[in-house]
Amino acid sequence: MIEPTRLDVSGERIRAVYEFTGPPVEARSRAEALAVEQTIEFPADLVPDDDIRGQIIGRIESLEETGPRTVRVAVGYAVETTGLEFPQFLNVLFGNSSLLPDVKLVDVEIPSTLVARFGGPRFGIAGLREMFDAPERPLLATALKPMGMSPERFAEMAYELALGGIDMIKDDHSLADQPFARFEERVRACSAAVRRANEETGSKSIYMPSINAPHRLLDERVEIALGAGAGGLLILPGLTGFDHMRELAADDGVGIPIMGHPAFLGGFVSSPTGGIAHDVVFGTLMRLAGADVSIFPNFGGRFSFSREACTEISTACRRPLGEIAPMWPAAGGGMTVDRTGEMVDFYGRDIVLLIGGDLHRGESLRESAAAFRSAIG
Amino acid sequence: MIEPTRLDVSGERIRAVYEFTGPPVEARSRAEALAVEQTIEFPADLVPDDDIRGQIIGRIESLEETGPRTVRVAVGYAVETTGLEFPQFLNVLFGNSSLLPDVKLVDVEIPSTLVARFGGPRFGIAGLREMFDAPERPLLATALKPMGMSPERFAEMAYELALGGIDMIKDDHSLADQPFARFEERVRACSAAVRRANEETGSKSIYMPSINAPHRLLDERVEIALGAGAGGLLILPGLTGFDHMRELAADDGVGIPIMGHPAFLGGFVSSPTGGIAHDVVFGTLMRLAGADVSIFPNFGGRFSFSREACTEISTACRRPLGEIAPMWPAAGGGMTVDRTGEMVDFYGRDIVLLIGGDLHRGESLRESAAAFRSAIG
């Protein structure tokens, strides 16, 4: 038995909801084990009746049978367990519990101290509507590809796409610093190309380079992007970390929109009974970590997300979440211009429509982009 | 159709093996789609017969039916697609394919250029045997816990554990910079305590603080740890990124052993037909990213890993992998001293035995630690 400990704890709690799959009769003991695992990771019988037991161990707030073999359990964690830091916040939510069988993280709510600390999207839905002078319409996005093209070719593409009226022209997420198109050269060329198109047409398109870099080079790549006049950043938090994205969003010296890409994060949503729910990964976590736009694979494309999952994600992007601004869902992944109407009907007008390869099928990129722009009415 | 492109490509290839679940007859077309997805993410019919088609798109090297509904497909990726950078290497392996249904990454081999670039463990099995003056025996590890204790209490624990003969005394992975035990104060106190124990007994125990910090504070925490004389670092790459760990391992200014912790990574192994295989996550990737020790949950503890998964992980830690040093598997998660013999029989002597809470059950931590040390013979 350890010595009794008294602690100064505010009482503010994070609320995490887990779905347990298995016999409902076992759910309470499994939940109690999880609440220990996520906090003290120590034999509970060796903890006296003190503040570690009363305040630090997660508190089971509710337990509800949602099916013959599923129970939803809400666990409250003292905000102090996170040290008010995002990586440790994720650790409290799903660090070791990610390794437990048949436990899925399905919802997260955070108290006001963390809302203030994490901040969320700098622009969000309202901010990008203002930036693009688009008070009502969906926003349009596309990607520069394929890998193997030169910086000059990407810049020509970016110019044509901006002339055609695409709002956000991002790097394909596969573009890093390959020899075919070095980061700095590509970013300077594409930023200049989009600026030139904007000057010619008066439009407000932005180029968003992909900041998928080794840890030690992340700051340098961001500085190059800012120096070149890039209008936004594409971030892959599954590879460079959620907290890096959050810091970029919070940094007044950056101050441009951030698009979060789902690369590598699919592993979390590949199990029906484990991992993290689609809407938590691509909605809540992306949003808490400051993405203004969150890309996810639309139903009916190359990927496997269901209509239901897409609805849940887009809802999580836009639902009330403390003072955290709503975020744009961006549905992509093998989308085509002829699905535009269907997608707007499905998602509503607060949606970013992301079409990549399909724009290359027409006579010219500019015409394809213009047709895409016309299609949103 | 895009214009034909000629590229300077070395011919060196990464080999990634995926398991597809579903009708075997569909495997080839699914594999072809994946090889495009992971590289150019562009309609293949719009690419002419050029070097993008011939060199950049992943090449299907083999395809083997391994069960009535499983096919293993080896895909070769030109090393240039990674830009020789670790985050983009992970992106090529499993960026968008993580979002495809019923595709699991099950093996990875890298060519000599990447071996030289990534480096792997600085110490590995031989290096830590020398450091701990332990030519043959298993190594012992434990964790300072529970969260809520003061730096002084953790330091007392660390002192007792070092006196008892534990090699590696790490922070519990839940310890970050909480108000109960601020990082700097804790790390100074625990480093000093272990140093004092070593001076008294002539042993070579090390304290390994957890560097689970916001992006912007990672360097500062490492500097504090080095300044305090910490003997190693605990890294949670699922939260702070694989590439951060790799850079620490490669940094001569750090130069101390690294223990990789599996927090948050369980999401990747929660699906039998998706995500990443256990041995790739906790073996190959941890090792390529420079961990000297990789922690994973032992079978029969609080977690769910099977004996088979544990065998595969420990094999991946130690098998030949180019010039990359073998890494210590560290089996933990609810382990007890009385299972020591069984674990050594199962894993062999190149194993780190990690026992946390169970050491607190005896009369004194020092005695429990000494009993643990005796148990390995």
Side-chain angles (χ1 to χ4, degrees), chain B residues 271-282:
Chain B
S271 164
T273 63
I276 308 181
H278 290 73
D279 55 329
V280 175
V281 177
F282 303 109

Side-chain angles (χ1 to χ4, degrees), chain A residues 1-3 5 7-9 37-47 50 52 56 80-83 85-101 105 145-150 153 156-157 170 172-180 182 212-219 221 236 238-244 246-248 251 261-276 282 285 297 302-305 333 356-358 360-361, chain B residues 1-5 7-9 37-47 50 52 56 80-88 90-101 145-150 153 156-157 170 172-180 182 212-219 221 236 238-244 246-248 251 261-276 282 285 297 302-305 333 356-358 360-361:
Chain A
M1 186 74 78
I2 58 172
E3 289 161 31
T5 301
L7 300 169
D8 187 16
V9 172
E37 189 67 49
Q38 292 309 96
T39 51
I40 64 167
E41 202 192 337
F42 191 82
D45 61 299
L46 298 183
V47 179
D50 66 354
I52 290 181
I56 302 301
E80 288 82 2
T81 61
T82 68
E85 295 180 342
F86 206 85
Q88 173 59 12
F89 164 67
L90 294 179
N91 199 18
V92 169
L93 289 178
F94 203 57
N96 271 10
S97 59
S98 74
L99 299 154
L100 293 171
L105 177 65
K145 48 173 101 172
M147 188 199 301
M149 297 274 104
S150 66
R153 280 294 294 126
E156 286 166 25
M157 288 182 186
K170 71 175 184 71
D172 190 48
H173 81 288
S174 68
L175 302 182
D177 186 40
Q178 290 94 345
F180 326 121
R182 289 289 174 200
N212 179 25
H215 178 77
R216 196 62 55 193
L217 297 177
L218 286 168
D219 286 351
R221 297 260 170 100
L236 287 55
L239 295 167
T240 50
F242 277 99
D243 193 65
H244 176 245
R246 190 200 57 74
E247 287 192 350
L248 292 174
D251 187 341
H261 190 282
F264 211 69
L265 293 173
F268 289 109
V269 298
S270 59
S271 164
T273 62
I276 308 181
F282 303 110
L285 294 184
R302 301 190 303 274
F303 299 93
S304 60
F305 285 21
D358 193 52
H360 290 259
R361 293 206 177 274
Chain B
M1 186 76 77
I2 57 172
E3 289 162 30
T5 302
L7 300 169
D8 187 17
V9 173
E37 189 68 48
Q38 292 309 97
T39 51
I40 63 167
E41 202 192 338
F42 190 82
D45 61 299
L46 298 182
V47 180
D50 66 353
I52 290 181
I56 302 301
E80 288 82 2
T81 61
T82 68
L84 310 188
E85 295 180 341
F86 206 86
Q88 172 60 12
L90 294 179
N91 199 19
V92 169
L93 289 178
F94 203 57
N96 270 10
S97 59
S98 74
L99 299 155
L100 292 170
K145 48 173 98 171
M147 188 198 300
M149 297 274 104
S150 66
R153 280 293 295 127
E156 286 166 24
M157 289 182 186
K170 70 174 186 70
D172 190 49
H173 81 287
S174 68
L175 302 183
D177 187 39
Q178 290 94 346
F180 325 121
R182 290 287 174 200
N212 179 25
H215 178 77
R216 196 62 55 193
L217 297 177
L218 286 167
D219 285 352
R221 297 261 169 99
L236 287 55
L239 295 168
T240 50
F242 278 99
D243 193 65
H244 177 245
R246 189 200 58 74
E247 288 192 351
L248 292 174
D251 187 341
H261 190 281
F264 211 68
L265 293 172
F268 289 109
V269 299
S270 60
S271 164
T273 63
I276 308 181
F282 303 109
L285 294 184
R302 302 191 301 274
F303 299 95
S304 60
F305 286 20
D358 193 52
H360 291 260
R361 293 206 178 275

Side-chain angles (χ1 to χ4, degrees), chain B residues 331-356:
Chain B
M335 291 299 96
T336 55
V337 173
D338 59 18
R339 287 191 64 191
T340 302
E342 172 202 347
M343 287 169 71
V344 175
D345 287 346
F346 185 80
Y347 290 107
R349 301 183 73 79
D350 288 339
I351 180 76
V352 174
L353 302 170
L354 171 59
I355 300 185

Side-chain angles (χ1 to χ4, degrees), chain A residues 176-198:
Chain A
D177 186 40
Q178 290 94 345
F180 326 121
R182 289 289 174 200
F183 179 82
E184 182 159 4
E185 204 182 333
R186 180 178 84 242
V187 171
R188 288 190 192 287
C190 294
S191 298
V194 171
R195 192 161 49 237
R196 185 158 59 89
N198 284 342

